[in-house]
Amino acid sequence: MTNIWDNYPCQDFYDEVISSPGNARKPAKKLVSYFKNLSDETIDFHRKAAESTIKQMGVSFTVYSDEGNIDRAWPFDIMPRTISKTQWDKTAEGLRQRLKALNMFIDDLYHDQNIIKDGIVPSYVLEQSANFRKECIGVNPPLGVWAHICGTDLVRDSDGEFYVLEDNLRVPSGVSYMLENRAITKRILPELFEEVNIARVDDYCPNLFEMLVALSPRKISKPVVVVLTPGIFNSAYFEHAFLAQQMGCELVEGADLVVQDDDCVYMKTIAGLERVDVIYRRIDDLFIDPEVFNEDSQLGVAGLMRAWQKGNVGLANAPGAGVADDKVIYAFVPDIIRYYLKEEPLIKNVETYLCYDDEQREYVINNIEKLVVKPANESGGYGMLVGPHSTKKERDKFVQLIKENPRNYIAQPTLALSTSPTFVGKNELEPRHLDLRPFVLQGKSIYVTMGGLTRVAMKKGSLVVNSSQGGGSKDTWIVE
């Protein structure tokens, strides 16, 4: 029987599982030992069992392409990624700190804008923000919280420490895949869960529901909570349906809801109209209400903003929360934490260059082949340039884009993203780069998932982990 670890390469990157050739990191010792004793046939059996389970459970995602929308089975690697609970507890505390400060920042922007007046964040940054909604000025959402659900992207550099790569505060997705990854792993590797003390993740949906209920304007025993989806052609529709089912909520589209003359939201049912208290909306701001934003939108509900502004319905995330989901604002988050909380940030940002600054822009243009350049408000890995993997034509194009609209671009060093052993070919293990998206909920209290969604760049040497661009995923173990 071949030991799958024998040929695992030594490398310059921080590896999540292997500390040095032949040696596992402490949280991964039982995992490594378990796979060491498996035959090729058994590993192959587990991999096929995972594929079969994914198909049976209907775990899928949609890729947008020139040929149309393609529905694909969820790409999953059976080798989990391990993190020590001691390190995770510190990281989780940093995530709580970060979301608390970001919500105070958003609330300030829609009220007194003290952080602008005090010169901590330049007024120019806010004036050019694509996601600042003037319709939200003066609104007081329940509990003073705007971003109730946050998906924060973390990376590990060569020092083994976590850094925040970006904050996702508009309509963060991926948590259903985190939960399904665990369900798949439990089904195919049940014996490991008896041997290893792995933190649970299945408390997310109860915590999500509790947070949503806390937003209800009516203090009744059973507020009506719904999940608002754009529909079956949305790339995250699987997640919308999954979360609604797990919480016991109705999954609705815009046409299923109506705002009446009393400025309350109602759901159409076979028994008539039923008042809705809270909407977990998975639709971007500009499409939620054709009366206020995009008048051609068929996805939203006419009058929804009016109902929310008058406090008759809770919305998560609140409209306008995306003002902090901006890669330029991201660069100021350490100062935002110091300003509102009078604390030092517990998790560091990745070093960031702001292209609207003349000196920093000059540096970016002169060193673009070394940097990752990102637009301020894109997501999913789209519209970015990875300098070391780019052509001269691509770099010249981005230099022109930066010059035309410097406010819309930031740049960061190309990180030595950590790796984890991943099965490729016929049961061979190779290191692949990855990131981590934990999910943070803020209502009456702040909850952080135990780990999160690990996304893997399945192509050798690639730093792009997004599933829509060929990335895969792993179960994430927080281990005592």
Side-chain angles (χ1 to χ4, degrees), residues 42 71 78 93 109 160 182 242 246 274 342 344 372 385 403 411 426 446 454 456:
T42 304
D71 205 37
I78 66 170
E93 192 56 38
L109 291 186
R182 177 58 52 84
F242 176 91
Q246 291 292 311
E274 180 179 14
K342 310 297 187 257
E344 282 300 307
V372 176
L385 175 84
K403 289 179 177 178
K426 187 167 175 59
I446 302 180
T454 288
V456 188

Side-chain angles (χ1 to χ4, degrees), residues 157 165 350-353 363 367 370-374 386-388 410-417 463:
D157 204 351
L165 187 63
V350 174
E351 184 180 10
T352 302
Y353 303 98
Y363 176 83
N367 295 273
K370 305 174 187 175
L371 303 171
V372 176
V373 182
K374 302 177 182 178
V386 181
I410 62 134
Q412 296 169 329
T414 306
L415 298 176
L417 289 189
L463 300 175

Side-chain angles (χ1 to χ4, degrees), residues 155-176:
V155 293
R156 262 177 161 166
D157 204 351
S158 53
D159 58 7
E161 291 298 313
F162 281 112
Y163 292 80
V164 175
L165 187 63
E166 62 182 58
D167 304 288
N168 296 283
L169 300 170
R170 281 175 287 180
V171 191
S173 64
V175 74
S176 62

Side-chain angles (χ1 to χ4, degrees), residues 54 59-63 65 70-75 467-470:
I54 288 167
V59 186
S60 64
F61 72 104
T62 303
V63 176
S65 71
I70 304 170
D71 205 37
R72 290 181 176 169
W74 180 240
S467 301
S468 58
Q469 300 193 50

Side-chain angles (χ1 to χ4, degrees), residues 11-206:
Q11 53 177 349
D12 296 330
F13 303 102
Y14 180 91
D15 195 273
E16 303 276 336
V17 172
I18 302 297
S19 58
S20 60
N23 296 308
R25 297 193 185 279
K26 194 172 180 180
K29 285 189 179 297
K30 289 185 178 180
L31 174 69
V32 170
S33 176
Y34 174 82
F35 274 94
K36 181 178 181 180
N37 295 315
L38 296 184
S39 66
D40 283 349
E41 291 75 16
T42 304
I43 293 173
D44 200 46
F45 173 80
H46 285 323
R47 293 178 71 181
K48 288 178 178 175
E51 291 174 7
S52 176
T53 301
I54 288 167
K55 290 177 182 177
Q56 181 183 343
M57 296 168 69
V59 186
S60 64
F61 72 104
T62 303
V63 176
Y64 299 129
S65 71
D66 294 336
E67 290 77 36
N69 298 347
I70 304 170
D71 205 37
R72 290 181 176 169
W74 180 240
F76 176 75
D77 181 63
I78 66 170
M79 179 67 69
R81 176 246 197 107
T82 55
I83 302 168
S84 77
K85 187 173 184 299
T86 301
Q87 184 177 31
W88 186 250
D89 287 344
K90 296 176 183 176
T91 304
E93 192 56 38
L95 293 170
R96 291 186 189 93
Q97 177 196 57
R98 194 173 180 95
L99 185 57
K100 183 178 180 182
L102 283 169
N103 270 308
M104 294 173 76
F105 169 68
I106 299 167
D107 198 58
D108 186 16
L109 291 186
Y110 289 117
H111 290 88
D112 298 330
Q113 298 189 356
N114 288 319
I115 198 166
I116 305 292
K117 295 172 184 174
D118 290 339
I120 306 301
V121 175
S123 58
Y124 175 76
V125 171
L126 180 61
E127 290 162 5
Q128 299 294 321
S129 171
N131 291 300
F132 181 79
R133 308 285 177 232
K134 65 182 187 299
E135 298 82 3
C136 298
I137 293 173
V139 176
N140 296 298
L143 308 173
V145 176
W146 295 74
H148 310 88
I149 304 123
C150 176
T152 302
D153 289 345
L154 301 178
V155 293
R156 262 177 161 166
D157 204 351
S158 53
D159 58 7
E161 291 298 313
F162 281 112
Y163 292 80
V164 175
L165 187 63
E166 62 182 58
D167 304 288
N168 296 283
L169 300 170
R170 281 175 287 180
V171 191
S173 64
V175 74
S176 62
Y177 298 112
M178 176 194 80
L179 298 171
E180 293 288 41
N181 284 352
R182 177 58 52 84
I184 295 163
T185 309
K186 274 188 171 181
R187 186 177 292 194
I188 64 172
L189 304 172
E191 56 271 39
L192 270 171
F193 286 84
E194 296 175 5
E195 297 180 18
V196 185
N197 191 356
I198 305 164
R200 60 184 292 206
V201 295
D202 59 0
D203 60 343
Y204 176 81
C205 288

